[in-house]
Each structure stands twice: as C-alpha cells, then as structure tokens.
Amino acid sequence: MKKWIWSLLLVLLLAACGGGPAGGPSADSEESSDTGSDASGEVQLADELSVYNWADYIDEEMITQYEDTYGVDIIYDTYASNEDLLAKLQAGAEGYDVIFPSDYMVSIMIDLDLLSKIDTADLPNFANTDPQFVGAPFDPNNEYCVPYQWGTTGIGYRADVEFFQENPPDSWAYVFDPAMLEQYADQGINVLNDPRELPGSALIYLGYDPNTTNPDELNEARDVILAAKPYWKTFNSEDYDNTLLIPGEVALTQGWSGDVANAYWNTYDDETEDGNWYYSIPEEGAVKWLDNICITASTERYETALHFMNYMMDAEVAAAVTNFTYYASPNEAAREFILPEILDDQSIFPPQDVQDKLVWLTEVGEEGSFLYDELWTAVKSSQ
Ligand code: N2P
C-alpha cells in the first residue's frame, strides 16, 4: 500500500479549496500513537505530536495552522543548546517525536542511535530544498534529517553606542580582549550560553580550528574566556534578543544571525530608516550552522512526525518561519514568499565572500567531548 496516498487526497482537497501546504492526510485520528494505514490506505494521524525545538525558532502560527488543519495537538517545548537536547534524550526522556539538532549534533545522535531513519521519497516537499543543502556531510543521503534553517555566529552590537560608531566591532577581540572590553563593558555584554559556540569563537579568535581536540589549544581558549568573563554581564542564548538586545540592556553580544536581525528589525525606526542592532562576521572568521528536522528513535508517532516534517518543508510554511525568525531558509521554493528586506539582508543571507570565511562545527569524538565538557565546567564554575 502506498504510504503517502493520503497526501494525494489532500492535495486534491486543498486544490479544491484554493491551495495550502502540499502533502497531508485526513485528520480524523482517534489514537495518540500512529496506527499505520487503514483499509482505505490513509494514514491515521495521532492525536498529539511532541515537538522539541530551539527557543524562539518558529512562527507559532504555523503550529496552530497545523493543529487546525490536521487535528493533531502539538505539544511544543524548547531548549537552549544542542547539548541540552542531547542530555534530555540521553536521560531517557521519551515522548519527544520531532527535534531540531544542528549539524554536528546530528552526527552524534546518529552514532548514539537516537534518530529514526527516513526516506526522502516519502516527503514530497523535500523537493523544495536548495540543492546546496541536500546531503550535507553529517547526513550525506538525508537518511535521518532534513534541513530546517541556517545561520552564522557573529557579533551583534548597538548602533547608538558611541565607541562603536568610531570602532565597528570587526574582530573577536571585541568579545574576548580585556583592553577592548574596558571601553564599553559597563554598558553590558552578553555571550551565548553554549558549550561549543563560545569556545568555538574563542578558538577562531586565537587562530585555531573551532573543532580542535588539542588540549593545549583548548586550554588557551579556556584562559581567554576566563580573562574576559568578568566583563560579561550575561550568558544567554535563549531569549537574549527579546530580553537584552531590543530593550537595550546590553551594548554587544556574541550572537546568532537571526536573533540579531530580529533585534535590528524590532528597533527599526521609520524616520532614520535604520535599526539599532548591527551584525558583524569578525575578520578572523566565524561558525556557520545548519539546523535540521529529525525524528527521534523512540517515537511512537512516526507517521505523524513524518507528516509534520513534510508540512514544515512546504514553501509557504518555511517562508513564514523565516519571516518570523529572521533565519535563512534552505528551502529554495520558499524564497518567493520571503520578505524582500530579509532576502536582501546580508547579515541573514551572507554574500559568497563572507560565506568563504565560515566553518562548520563538527563532531569531536568521545575524548574531544570530554575536553569540551571540562572546559565548559571550568568556565561556568569560575567566579
Ligand atoms: C534561535 C536559535 C538559533 C539556533 N533562537 C542556533 N543553532
């Protein structure tokens, strides 16, 4: 029996109603877990689906739209880092169906058997993906995950800070060099509360690979972080754009591209035609990342999870997510629905010469993970 026969039925139904996301079953499930196909070949969706995503990383209206269209209640929960997500799953948390790990975390999760396999032939909307994001090195045949959003890790700074008007932050020294920090730290500095991203930027500042497992290089990065830490006000990667940047609680942040763009557009002044948060990719280079939609190995609602995955790859849904989060979309078909000011914003979609300076984080192996854990514990426990 063809697994996605229901998607055909829905396409016909949506076509009759004037459109909507392609691919979807009838929504009259009575069950909280998948029941597979019934006699007519339609997949019976579960009553509920548990989705676990990064904080501030979706347009919640797209969740409501899914619930209303398909009659599936989404239990939506968020995390602050890949490591928090991993810890939760490793602690045996069951019930999460759909998760959004980044590149290097996909590799780790594949090795730990934490993900269900998928077949992209079952996902009609996978065809919307920009070919440059198909078959990324951490999942070369997309046997586990599909791309969700991508971005970079750089520096966000407040345009109205006088020091930055003369000295636009173009180096990681603005985050890590105490002599530099002296100039503006009293106005507040935030860094990402993330055990790979913060050491990663420090390593790049020092001229090292952000994936190094060389203990001397990691010790050097730890010392740079410890020397800068007294100047930092907050470690926040969860809601810093809304609680620290937009209200002007800090002057500078190590930040993710979309979060800083969110602050830019939310401080945009129609009169000056400018926002108050700028974003820079430091001259030493920076990390780029690709977050993914994956299904947990422990799911009992595999078909519903797959159906949701396909929904998220619909061109209009993916565009709505980017228009809300300000992160770049790997969905090529979504481009025509993305607001022109977002498509033209080079801090969100960096030009090729900037992209050439970017590196991926990769899995560092068991010993490497131990070293990064040790570094992170030293950073977080120091006074
Ligand atoms: C947005 C989270 C961005 C995810 N708040 C970075 N991988």
Side-chain angles (χ1 to χ4, degrees):
M1 185 72 66
K2 255 245 162 293
K3 221 194 263 177
W4 287 82
I5 195 152
W6 42 258
S7 68
L8 249 180
L9 292 172
L10 190 83
V11 167
L12 292 175
L13 185 71
L14 284 170
C17 306
S26 66
D28 53 355
S29 165
E30 306 269 324
E31 303 290 329
S32 66
S33 60
D34 286 321
T35 53
S37 307
D38 69 8
S40 67
E42 287 186 35
V43 165
Q44 300 293 298
L45 292 178
D47 280 347
E48 291 181 339
L49 186 72
S50 171
V51 175
Y52 196 31
N53 193 0
W54 295 83
D56 282 338
Y57 209 34
I58 203 162
D59 175 354
E60 294 203 2
E61 271 181 36
M62 294 302 104
I63 296 280
T64 311
Q65 174 177 289
Y66 184 82
E67 294 181 319
D68 292 349
T69 310
Y70 302 113
V72 177
D73 280 339
I74 303 276
I75 305 156
Y76 193 77
D77 197 5
T78 63
Y79 51 84
S81 69
N82 281 301
E83 288 66 24
D84 286 356
L85 164 65
L86 177 64
K88 198 72 164 253
L89 296 188
Q90 283 190 306
E94 300 219 339
Y96 289 120
D97 302 304
V98 179
I99 55 175
F100 295 72
S102 307
D103 33 65
Y104 74 94
M105 187 51 69
V106 169
S107 312
I108 294 174
M109 290 186 164
I110 292 173
D111 289 352
L112 293 172
D113 288 331
L114 291 170
L115 302 180
S116 281
K117 276 203 156 187
I118 57 166
D119 182 346
T120 53
D122 293 333
L123 295 163
N125 288 336
F126 185 71
N128 291 339
T129 309
D130 180 339
Q132 64 167 308
F133 294 100
V134 172
F138 52 86
D139 183 17
N141 299 308
N142 292 99
E143 285 176 302
Y144 292 90
C145 306
V146 297
Y148 177 56
Q149 297 200 95
W150 69 278
T152 58
T153 308
I155 298 176
Y157 59 99
R158 233 174 61 213
D160 65 1
V161 174
E162 232 172 71
F163 183 75
F164 299 145
Q165 289 162 6
E166 300 287 303
N167 309 277
D170 56 359
S171 157
W172 285 114
Y174 283 79
V175 174
F176 295 113
D177 178 2
M180 193 68 101
L181 288 161
E182 287 284 353
Q183 312 289 324
Y184 44 82
D186 57 336
Q187 296 178 71
I189 313 285
N190 177 62
V191 291
L192 295 174
N193 190 19
D194 188 299
R196 285 298 306 276
E197 291 281 24
L198 187 62
S201 297
L203 287 162
I204 292 175
Y205 172 51
L206 290 167
Y208 300 138
D209 177 353
N211 301 299
T212 185
T213 55
N214 176 322
D216 295 335
E217 293 176 358
L218 287 167
N219 286 342
E220 234 183 287
R222 177 201 59 207
D223 292 345
V224 160
I225 294 173
L226 289 179
K229 187 180 169 189
Y231 296 93
W232 299 337
K233 180 173 165 182
T234 41
F235 280 72
N236 184 331
S237 42
E238 216 158 353
D239 58 3
Y240 64 106
D241 43 349
N242 294 315
T243 62
L244 299 173
L245 310 195
I246 296 171
E249 294 290 323
V250 293
L252 181 138
T253 187
Q254 179 204 23
W256 286 315
S257 44
D259 292 339
V260 180
N262 178 35
Y264 175 85
W265 289 106
N266 276 289
T267 52
Y268 191 84
D269 179 344
D270 285 332
E271 232 161 80
T272 59
E273 296 187 349
D274 206 3
N276 201 23
W277 277 92
Y278 291 173
Y279 184 70
S280 124
I281 295 288
E283 61 194 12
E284 298 90 349
V287 161
K288 70 173 162 186
W289 41 262
L290 173 63
D291 295 334
N292 303 275
I293 316 177
C294 317
I295 302 175
T296 59
S298 61
T299 185
E300 289 182 4
R301 304 180 272 225
Y302 179 82
E303 295 293 341
T304 311
L306 205 59
H307 178 257
F308 180 77
M309 197 180 229
N310 190 57
Y311 167 82
M312 292 307 295
M313 287 189 293
D314 171 77
E316 288 182 59
V317 173
V321 171
T322 284
N323 288 337
F324 186 87
T325 63
Y326 300 98
Y327 281 99
S329 178
N331 189 315
E332 199 167 42
R335 291 181 78 90
E336 65 170 301
F337 305 108
I338 295 177
L339 297 170
E341 62 265 37
I342 293 184
L343 277 183
D344 292 345
D345 186 334
Q346 299 205 337
S347 73
I348 301 173
F349 290 93
Q352 199 53 50
D353 62 315
V354 174
Q355 289 203 43
D356 292 344
K357 290 199 292 189
L358 304 174
V359 276
W360 300 102
L361 291 180
T362 55
E363 181 178 13
V364 288
E366 212 172 309
E367 260 174 61
S369 296
F370 177 77
L371 294 173
Y372 278 84
D373 278 356
E374 224 176 28
L375 185 160
W376 194 240
T377 307
V379 167
K380 293 308 288 283
S381 61
S382 86
Q383 290 306 313

